[in-house]
């Protein structure tokens, strides 16, 4: 039996991951979350007997250590974090506390014989872009805001624990991921929610800033393959989509697919945290996935077939 600890498991990406891991043969998932922004319904209670949920704050050593010593996980996916541009810029001190969680997971992982720690880093570590596409090894990191700095520090902790204690790791740098269970304050969910309710769609600045959008299934399949095939060991992989879309194009696509009468409403650009452009080099992700990524229009159609969370 393989036991896997997933932190932040009531969140968008980690809940999908926990559910997928629980479907692997002879695998048990210990799912922890402090429910600060998480929602237990994302773990589909009652439907996955191989998932056990424990309410726990990863940043509090006494909470998370009892989970490690009681369950002795073989692998850890450390995905818990304070997330979201607005939340992380409004509460930078909370964000910095996440460094404690990273240290706790690594100290406990090293002391209990964990085989590999997987860490959800972010495209934000590249900061305001210096080159495209953004490559895991050749593009310099340019982290300035606390959220990006914490992810960068996390990566440094993983490398250091590997060097000094031999604890294996994998860093995934996630670029925008979207899907039906994403929080309502992210751009895709926000636009769809507004369009379905016939409300104005709010755009910061002129909408010419581009984003790439990775459908949740592509993220999960690539990362689970890295785990199952023992790849990206002590290394980094960008996880995202490399097709660029402007925010205006996204809004237009959402309006088209929903047949909405919503109008676009422009606000002044955000003061910080809204990069003009991002675009990952995803050669590595493509190799992990072994198939084409899902186009944005198809992903939006899948969300529109399952709007329970967005409209909740
Ligand atoms: N979704 C994306 O596009 C994206 C992009 C880049 C990086 N990431 C990273 O992926 C991870 C998951 O992101 P998400 O979009 O699913 O966010 P999410 O907010 O839906 O999930 C994060 C979960 O972590 C929980 N949490 C926060 N602090 C905790 C703590 N101290 N102890 C226990 N649980 C805690 C929250 O309650 C929430 O359920 C995060 O680490 C995030 O930084 C996501």
């Amino acid at each position: 039996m393989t036991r896997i600890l997933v932190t932040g498991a009531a969140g968008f990406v980690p809940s999908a991951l926990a559910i997928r891991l629980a479907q692997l043969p002879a695998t048990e998932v210990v799912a922890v979350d402090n429910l600060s922004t998480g929602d237990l319904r994302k773990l589909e209670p009652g439907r996955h007997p191989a998932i056990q949920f424990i309410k726990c704050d990863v940043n509090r050593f006494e909470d998370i250590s009892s989970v490690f010593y009681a369950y002795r996980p073989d692998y850890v996916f450390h995905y818990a974090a304070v997330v979201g541009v607005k939340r992380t810029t409004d509460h930078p001190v909370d964000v910095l506390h996440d460094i404690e969680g990273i240290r706790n997971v690594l100290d406990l992982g090293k002391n209990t014989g964990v085989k590999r720690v997987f860490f959800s880093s972010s495209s934000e570590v590249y900061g305001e872009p210096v080159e495209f596409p953004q490559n895991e090894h050749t593009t310099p990191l340019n982290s300035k805001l606390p959220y990006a700095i914490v992810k960068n520090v996390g990566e440094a902790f993983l490398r250091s624990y590997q060097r000094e204690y031999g604890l294996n790791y994998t860093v995934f740098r996630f670029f925008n991921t979207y899907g039906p269970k994403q929080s309502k304050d992210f751009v895709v969910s926000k636009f769809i929610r507004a369009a379905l309710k016939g409300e104005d769609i709010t755009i910061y600045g002129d909408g010419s800033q581009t984003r790439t959008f990775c459908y949740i299934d592509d993220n999960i399949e690539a990362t689970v393959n890295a785990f199952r095939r023992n790849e990206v060991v002590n290394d980094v992989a960008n996880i995202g989509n490399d097709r660029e879309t402007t925010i205006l194009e996204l809004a237009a696509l959402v309006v088209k697919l929903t047949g909405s009468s919503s109008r676009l409403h422009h606000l002044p650009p955000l003061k910080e945290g809204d990069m003009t452009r991002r675009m990952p080099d995803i050669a590595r992700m493509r190799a992990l996935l072994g198939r084409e990524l899902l186009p944005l229009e198809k992903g939006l159609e899948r969300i529109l077939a399952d709007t329970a969370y967005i409209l909740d």
Side-chain angles (χ1 to χ4, degrees):
M1 186 61 78
T2 303
R3 197 171 275 162
I4 305 175
L5 173 64
V6 177
T7 73
F12 164 51
V13 179
S15 63
L17 172 76
I19 289 170
R20 179 69 193 100
L21 291 172
Q23 290 160 351
L24 299 178
T27 304
E28 281 175 5
V29 174
V30 179
V32 303
D33 199 295
N34 66 357
L35 299 181
S36 51
T37 59
D39 181 341
L40 259 186
R41 287 173 301 172
K42 294 186 184 178
L43 279 171
E44 304 171 355
R47 286 186 55 194
H48 306 285
I51 298 182
Q52 175 163 4
F53 178 77
I54 300 163
K55 186 171 178 218
C56 152
D57 188 332
V58 183
N59 297 352
R60 290 167 51 96
F61 186 79
E62 56 276 31
D63 269 28
I64 187 66
S65 62
S66 55
V67 173
F68 268 84
Y69 286 108
Y71 292 93
R72 299 247 166 202
D74 301 294
Y75 298 92
V76 180
F77 286 76
H78 181 41
Y79 282 21
V82 180
V83 173
V85 175
K86 186 161 185 334
R87 198 171 303 113
T88 56
T89 42
D90 287 353
H91 303 286
V93 176
D94 281 356
V95 174
L96 292 170
H97 281 310
D98 283 346
I99 295 174
E100 300 305 316
I102 297 166
R103 287 197 60 164
N104 290 341
V105 164
L106 292 176
D107 279 333
L108 290 161
K110 136 179 119 54
N111 293 341
T112 62
V114 164
K115 297 186 182 115
R116 183 158 45 139
V117 175
F118 298 78
F119 177 60
S120 55
S121 183
S122 166
S123 58
E124 298 294 329
V125 295
Y126 295 112
E128 196 51 64
V130 287
E131 65 176 16
F132 293 107
Q134 292 160 316
N135 178 276
E136 292 95 333
H137 296 296
T138 55
T139 302
L141 302 187
N142 189 15
S143 321
K144 293 213 171 72
L145 297 174
Y147 175 76
I149 290 167
V150 169
K151 294 298 189 190
N152 200 346
V153 165
E155 294 190 15
F157 263 114
L158 292 164
R159 282 192 301 276
S160 305
Y161 273 64
Q162 205 297 314
R163 182 159 310 161
E164 202 154 338
Y165 308 117
L167 177 61
N168 288 338
Y169 72 87
T170 294
V171 168
F172 297 125
R173 288 191 191 138
F174 293 159
F175 286 65
N176 268 348
T177 303
Y178 71 103
K181 292 180 187 167
Q182 184 158 38
S183 309
K184 283 173 279 198
D185 43 358
F186 284 83
V187 64
V188 173
S189 313
K190 255 203 299 210
F191 283 10
I192 291 183
R193 188 178 159 89
L196 290 176
K197 293 182 154 203
E199 294 167 357
D200 282 357
I201 293 180
T202 303
I203 294 174
Y204 293 103
D206 64 3
S208 64
Q209 64 272 40
T210 71
R211 289 290 177 273
T212 56
F213 297 102
C214 177
Y215 192 67
I216 181 71
D217 293 8
D218 294 347
N219 172 310
I220 299 300
E221 209 170 312
T223 54
V224 171
N225 283 346
F227 161 62
R228 295 175 73 183
R229 305 200 306 230
N230 219 21
E231 291 181 28
V232 203
V233 179
N234 301 329
D235 209 344
V236 184
N238 286 335
I239 300 291
N241 195 314
D242 59 358
R243 165 87 171 75
E244 284 185 277
T245 307
T246 67
I247 293 297
L248 265 187
E249 282 167 344
L250 173 70
L253 194 54
V254 167
V255 167
K256 183 184 98 177
L257 292 176
T258 53
S260 171
S261 56
S262 293
R263 287 175 316 174
L264 307 188
H265 174 62
H266 290 266
L267 287 180
L270 287 178
K271 281 203 202 70
E272 52 181 6
D274 198 12
M275 305 296 159
T276 47
R277 199 182 157 200
R278 285 192 197 99
M279 206 249 282
D281 179 337
I282 54 165
R284 197 143 206 202
M285 153 122 183
R286 282 188 200 284
L288 285 170
L289 197 56
R291 61 163 172 78
E292 285 305 308
L293 282 85
L294 195 77
L296 179 59
E297 186 157 350
K298 292 267 177 294
L300 294 178
E301 283 169 0
R302 288 197 194 175
I303 298 181
L304 289 171
D306 179 8
T307 53
Y309 286 92
I310 286 178
L311 290 177
D312 188 22

